[in-house]
Amino acid sequence: MSGFRLFDLNPAQEQAVRTIEGPLLILAGAGTGKTRVITMRVAYLVSQGIPPSDILAVTFTNKAANEMRERLATLLDSDVAKKVTMSTFHALCMRILRLDIDKLGYKKNFSIYDEGDTTGLIKKIITRTAARDEKLEPNVAKALISKAKNNGWNAPQDDKTLIGAVFARYQAELKTLNAVDFDDLLLLTVKLLNEHPDVRERWNNRFRFLMVDEFQDTNRLQLDLVSLLAKPVNAPPGARPNVAVVGDDDQSIYGWRGADMSNILEFEQHFPNPVVVTLEQNYRSTNTILGSANFLIKNNARRRAKSLWSARDGGAKVRIVQMPDDRQEAEFIANEIAQRIVTEPAKAEDFAVLYRMNAQSRSIEHNLRELHIPYRVVGGKSFFDAREIKDFLAYASCLLNTEDDVSVLRIINTPARGIGATLIERATEMSAVKGCSVFAILSDPEFRGSISKRATGAVDAFIELLDSFETKLHEPLADQAAVVRAFIQETGYLEDLHRTCKTPEEGLKRQSKVLEMIRWFEENQKKSDKGLRGFLDDMMLRQEKQEEEKKEGGDGVTLITLHAAKGLEFPHVYLIGLEEGLLPHDRSKVEGTVDEERRLLYVGITRAMRTLALTWCKNRVKYGGTMPTFVSSFVKELPAELVEHRDVSQILNEPVPETSVKGRFDSMLSFLDKL
């Protein structure tokens, strides 16, 4: 435990670490070392004689959980650190459901549907359910169903509305398929713990000390889950649950996806008489940047008081730069970054451009490319969204659960094996009528009597293919990875994938992704005894962390949305588009969420470590035309003594001091030589 030293902490951090009994609310402002406090507190709990297996730390992303695990390994012996459970909400719920979901009428080998699977199923249900004159977009339906589930609402019992009917049938079909979506992982876990005290008691006894990170981002279901885990079933009157939550209401920016800030603002109502510790010493930014952020956020009435400060004095003023239009905005930023790379001790990766909307990055990208400045855009298509990866996962899922209609329908004629669209449609319709899976219908005498002998032969070959490899997969001591590899080879999928690509290079690239997945499973099999089911669960849960992975790695200037930038930091930040209607967004004024927009700007400001520039344009291209814009009302809320207002023309016309001209010229030549 050589890395475990409390005297390295500031007084507020030390109080948070040493408070180990009863409810604890740690208000951790931006850059105040909350991850360090969480891991240090876990180490302190162990040092006080608490078994590490009794401790649970829950967060939202795999990145955060992995970072906590890595830090904990430097504070405790590795064998001890491994016994502490550090998990995302979804991974924890999956673990609970794998043991006892049968009590809710599901089988334990349930499948987890990802975003694409759920959209496909909802689309199919809308087609079956809607009348000719009724319209419902699948993505709208999916969002409404997700919102309902995260509020803890069950599917309606009647079908008076189309969305109600779709919700009810979607949920019923998921259960028939023995499948759950990501929202169900939370919803069903809360239902299980509520309805089965014996299950709840087992987990109460398993985890006696609970910590929750990013508590300001929790929704109603997550709060219920925390309460059920933290408060024992048979707790005596006046018992104080050992639950510690860490969060910052000033950084609550996910209300649009269900986060409920009242969970942290009203913590005392859920866990009475907590110790409240406020972390305000910031280790990231200059006091000038922090002062600007503090001044801005005080305009939000509904918040817990806190004021960030740094032990380091000074810092350059925050620049607020007026631009004639977004074209000049992009040109100026790219040119200034290029100049600063050669005139300051700065690298391209020290810079970040933050924006409200993804579309704002396009002009910046163009100008950075023109100047040969490396950059990365946080976003883009996920590895797991690739067609070939989804095909592979569907094939693997079918080996475990042939009742998974979405997976069966995805691979039944991929590659083409003589099972046409008409046959598939007939099988799907009959499965709905008979209330069974599509795969079961393929063996149904009535169905088989309705198709040709040639089609029957194709169906039999498909059934035999799945059945034979399913048997091999479940043989005692089977090498499941070898079975999966042989199965994929036998299907002819890899050859078909190569044949259907436009170029040989594309075919090889797509094939390599599938083979990489198989190699991952082979490596996973060496480390874990959970088999193919555990591997597929891990793959589905990886969807949670795709955005986190996109933030990692890569050199160059970072182009990123304000929402995605939360939790990150950069030496030099350009925050663009400070215009009324963009930030704050027009929609926020209608929906009454301007305070959340202010918090979003606060998050953006507190990403900057050394310098910060805010830009706004008098004109911006919108909807294909140039439209006049006005400076954001938030700009007027910043402290006059900490900011400087500039017009871009003033900056461009400033003479360069003679003493620095030769140095800059030499640096520029050196820079160009490297291109």
Side-chain angles (χ1 to χ4, degrees), residues 247-311:
D248 180 9
D249 51 299
D250 289 336
Q251 296 187 75
S252 179
I253 58 173
Y254 297 117
W256 50 277
R257 70 181 188 197
D260 188 350
M261 192 174 69
S262 66
N263 289 352
I264 194 168
L265 293 178
E266 300 167 7
F267 182 74
E268 291 86 345
Q269 293 183 22
H270 305 290
F271 299 96
N273 304 314
V275 174
V276 179
V277 178
T278 305
L279 306 183
E280 296 177 302
Q281 184 173 354
N282 176 283
Y283 296 92
R284 174 188 298 157
S285 308
T286 67
N287 272 318
T288 302
I289 292 169
L290 297 177
S292 300
N294 290 333
F295 211 83
L296 172 77
I297 202 64
K298 284 177 183 176
N299 289 284
N300 277 3
R302 194 165 178 255
R303 63 183 290 266
R304 289 182 180 265
K306 69 188 78 67
S307 186
L308 300 179
W309 60 276
S310 171

Side-chain angles (χ1 to χ4, degrees), residues 142-294:
K142 184 172 73 171
L144 290 171
I145 291 170
S146 177
K147 185 175 182 179
K149 287 186 178 185
N150 281 293
N151 280 320
W153 302 338
N154 293 316
Q157 299 300 307
D158 58 64
D159 55 0
K160 292 180 180 178
T161 64
L162 178 56
I163 182 60
V166 170
F167 185 7
R169 293 177 191 183
Y170 168 71
Q171 207 57 26
E173 191 145 345
L174 275 179
K175 193 163 186 179
T176 299
L177 298 170
N178 194 40
V180 301
D181 60 25
F182 277 104
D183 295 318
D184 284 329
L185 289 175
L186 280 164
L187 185 67
L188 294 176
T189 302
V190 169
K191 181 179 175 68
L192 178 66
L193 297 178
N194 264 321
E195 295 180 0
H196 296 274
D198 57 321
V199 177
R200 179 180 168 188
E201 186 174 15
R202 187 193 319 146
W203 290 101
N204 290 152
N205 293 333
R206 173 73 173 80
F207 298 123
R208 297 188 304 111
F209 291 83
L210 177 60
M211 297 185 69
V212 185
D213 190 18
E214 303 287 7
F215 195 67
Q216 78 281 345
D217 293 336
T218 53
N219 59 28
R220 152 81 188 280
L221 272 181
Q222 287 156 337
L223 174 64
D224 289 346
L225 176 63
V226 171
S227 296
L228 288 164
L229 291 173
K231 300 174 182 177
V233 178
N234 299 313
R240 288 165 53 76
N242 297 317
V243 57
V245 305
V246 186
D248 180 9
D249 51 299
D250 289 336
Q251 296 187 75
S252 179
I253 58 173
Y254 297 117
W256 50 277
R257 70 181 188 197
D260 188 350
M261 192 174 69
S262 66
N263 289 352
I264 194 168
L265 293 178
E266 300 167 7
F267 182 74
E268 291 86 345
Q269 293 183 22
H270 305 290
F271 299 96
N273 304 314
V275 174
V276 179
V277 178
T278 305
L279 306 183
E280 296 177 302
Q281 184 173 354
N282 176 283
Y283 296 92
R284 174 188 298 157
S285 308
T286 67
N287 272 318
T288 302
I289 292 169
L290 297 177
S292 300
N294 290 333

Side-chain angles (χ1 to χ4, degrees), residues 79 109 225 238 258 322 333 386 409 418 490 570:
D79 290 341
N109 69 334
L225 176 63
Q322 175 184 314
I333 290 171
L409 291 172
E490 184 69 21
F570 308 94

Side-chain angles (χ1 to χ4, degrees), residues 376-397:
R376 61 193 183 103
V377 181
V378 174
K381 190 174 182 179
S382 161
F383 175 84
F384 292 92
D385 286 337
R387 170 172 60 89
E388 58 273 17
I389 297 303
K390 296 182 81 67
D391 287 345
F392 169 80
L393 292 174
Y395 266 113
S397 295

Side-chain angles (χ1 to χ4, degrees), residues 323-490:
M323 306 284 179
D325 54 41
D326 46 344
R327 181 183 61 81
Q328 290 236 19
E329 178 183 58
E331 285 182 7
F332 169 76
I333 290 171
N335 285 327
E336 185 168 275
I337 289 174
Q339 180 187 14
R340 294 176 71 177
I341 289 173
V342 298
T343 60
E344 298 178 12
K347 304 182 293 293
E349 50 266 34
D350 291 338
F351 296 88
V353 182
L354 277 54
Y355 37 82
R356 179 68 174 80
M357 309 290 285
N358 276 305
Q360 292 172 256
S361 72
R362 294 170 192 160
S363 294
I364 304 287
E365 283 188 72
H366 172 74
N367 282 276
L368 290 174
R369 278 200 303 268
E370 289 284 304
L371 294 172
H372 302 285
I373 299 172
Y375 70 90
R376 61 193 183 103
V377 181
V378 174
K381 190 174 182 179
S382 161
F383 175 84
F384 292 92
D385 286 337
R387 170 172 60 89
E388 58 273 17
I389 297 303
K390 296 182 81 67
D391 287 345
F392 169 80
L393 292 174
Y395 266 113
S397 295
C398 286
L399 283 182
L400 290 169
N401 181 14
T402 54
E403 294 182 352
D404 179 352
D405 276 3
V406 169
S407 293
V408 168
L409 291 172
R410 185 176 185 93
I411 58 101
I412 192 170
N413 204 42
T414 304
R417 47 175 62 94
I419 303 176
T422 302
L423 185 152
I424 293 170
E425 185 177 348
R426 189 178 300 166
T428 304
E429 289 173 353
M430 192 172 288
S431 74
V433 172
K434 295 199 172 189
C436 62
S437 69
V438 170
F439 190 76
I441 284 295
L442 298 180
S443 301
D444 184 276
E446 181 183 349
F447 171 74
R448 296 171 71 82
S450 69
I451 60 177
S452 67
K453 286 186 178 180
R454 185 175 179 181
T456 302
V459 167
D460 284 344
F462 178 66
I463 293 173
E464 185 180 346
L465 175 70
L466 271 182
D467 283 347
S468 63
F469 277 93
E470 181 186 20
T471 301
K472 292 176 183 178
L473 189 77
H474 292 102
E475 287 176 354
L477 304 178
D479 181 345
Q480 292 196 340
V483 172
V484 170
R485 183 181 286 274
F487 177 52
I488 295 297
Q489 293 286 356
E490 184 69 21

